[in-house]
Amino acid sequence: GQQVMQIPQYQHVQEGEDFTTYCNSSTTLSNIQWYKQRPGGHPVFLIQLVKSGEVKKQKRLTFQFGEAKKNSSLHITATQTTDVGTYFCAGRGGGSNYKLTFGKGTLLTVNP
Amino acid sequence: DTAVSQTPKYLVTQMGNDKSIKCEQNLGHDTMYWYKQDSKKFLKIMFSYNNKELIINETVPNRFSPKSPDKAHLNLHINSLELGDSAVYFCASSQGGDSPLHFGNGTRLTVT
């Protein structure tokens, strides 16, 4: 079945440093979504990428979808303490495998 | 107004008991889901309903039985609770298709 691998599992940074989490799928995806879960909270939708090679930005966050639509990344520039949380990618397969599969998430902690 | 609300927020019970978690969404979405998040934060889909009909039923013990009385509600009943059922259970809804998920605040179930 479809698998979505996400690395790293944990990342600790100093405030102001950059952060990147990577997502890889075993199969070609029709689209990929990113969610953020604050400690003790629930996952909140950030963005969806659909097109091959797509790049989207939200302030300090940059999201990329690979040319082959099998990988994606989330990059945060100059992290702040408010960025703390677990970031999940979730890939949707194509054809009969239209299910949304979540990666295991990357827990980001930021030292002020 | 909370878009996806689930009750209770916390549930502590003993092994062998039967319990229910309720979920309601006021977003007018057609599709609702139950996800289980274990202690390692892995989000795994359990069930998905579209307009009251079951469309996804992952490999979940038949002690878990979802019920959707209407498209705004999706409840989860668990029989004969086991220690391994301890987790946070999230309800979510979406408009279907490629639409993002809107999660409830979660129910932390602890089985002793």
Side-chain angles (χ1 to χ4, degrees):
Chain A
Q2 179 179 293
Q3 292 186 6
V4 175
M5 313 297 290
Q6 191 173 352
I7 56 169
Q9 194 175 354
Y10 306 98
Q11 184 77 60
H12 178 75
V13 299
Q14 287 292 127
E15 191 172 21
E17 291 181 342
D18 293 355
F19 159 77
T20 305
T21 173
Y22 300 91
C23 201
N24 286 289
S25 168
S26 56
T27 58
T28 302
L29 301 170
S30 63
N31 59 69
I32 195 158
Q33 298 175 357
W34 284 91
Y35 292 79
K36 177 184 178 181
Q37 183 177 17
R38 293 182 188 274
H42 59 278
V44 174
F45 173 74
L46 293 176
I47 209 159
Q48 176 169 273
L49 304 170
V50 178
K51 299 176 184 174
S52 168
E54 189 170 14
V55 177
K56 285 188 176 179
K57 292 193 175 190
Q58 287 180 352
K59 297 182 181 176
R60 294 177 296 103
L61 277 61
T62 302
F63 303 84
Q64 291 190 339
F65 201 9
E67 293 289 341
K69 299 182 76 171
K70 293 180 76 172
N71 58 72
S72 181
S73 65
L74 157 59
H75 179 82
I76 302 179
T77 304
T79 54
Q80 299 175 358
T81 54
T82 53
D83 295 325
V84 163
T86 301
Y87 292 84
F88 293 95
C89 62
R92 199 180 293 279
S96 61
N97 190 18
Y98 204 64
K99 214 168 46 175
L100 191 66
T101 303
F102 278 81
K104 292 193 174 182
T106 297
L107 172 60
L108 171 66
T109 54
V110 180
N111 203 26
Chain B
D1 286 342
T2 305
V4 181
S5 59
Q6 52 184 110
T7 56
K9 189 172 172 64
Y10 299 97
L11 190 50
V12 181
T13 188
Q14 291 185 325
M15 282 175 56
N17 284 348
D18 303 339
K19 290 293 178 186
S20 291
I21 308 172
K22 295 186 175 182
C23 180
E24 175 182 3
Q25 55 96 3
N26 62 7
L27 296 168
H29 289 164
D30 289 333
T31 309
M32 295 186 72
Y33 311 80
W34 278 110
Y35 278 83
K36 178 180 179 180
Q37 186 171 50
D38 60 25
S39 58
K40 294 184 179 179
K41 297 293 189 185
F42 184 42
L43 270 167
K44 188 172 181 194
I45 189 166
M46 300 172 69
F47 302 102
S48 173
Y49 271 71
N50 183 266
N51 214 359
K52 300 193 298 176
E53 286 193 27
L54 181 66
I55 55 171
I56 293 177
N57 184 352
E58 290 297 290
T59 311
V60 176
N62 58 15
R63 298 181 294 102
F64 290 78
S65 52
K67 280 198 172 64
S68 182
D70 55 62
K71 75 172 193 175
H73 295 84
L74 180 61
N75 303 323
L76 183 65
H77 187 76
I78 315 169
N79 289 327
S80 303
L81 279 155
E82 299 178 357
L83 292 177
D85 297 333
S86 295
V88 179
Y89 292 84
F90 285 102
C91 175
S93 74
S94 79
Q95 195 50 39
D98 292 339
S99 300
L101 304 183
H102 295 254
F103 285 86
N105 289 332
T107 295
R108 182 174 293 277
L109 171 64
T110 304
V111 183
T112 61

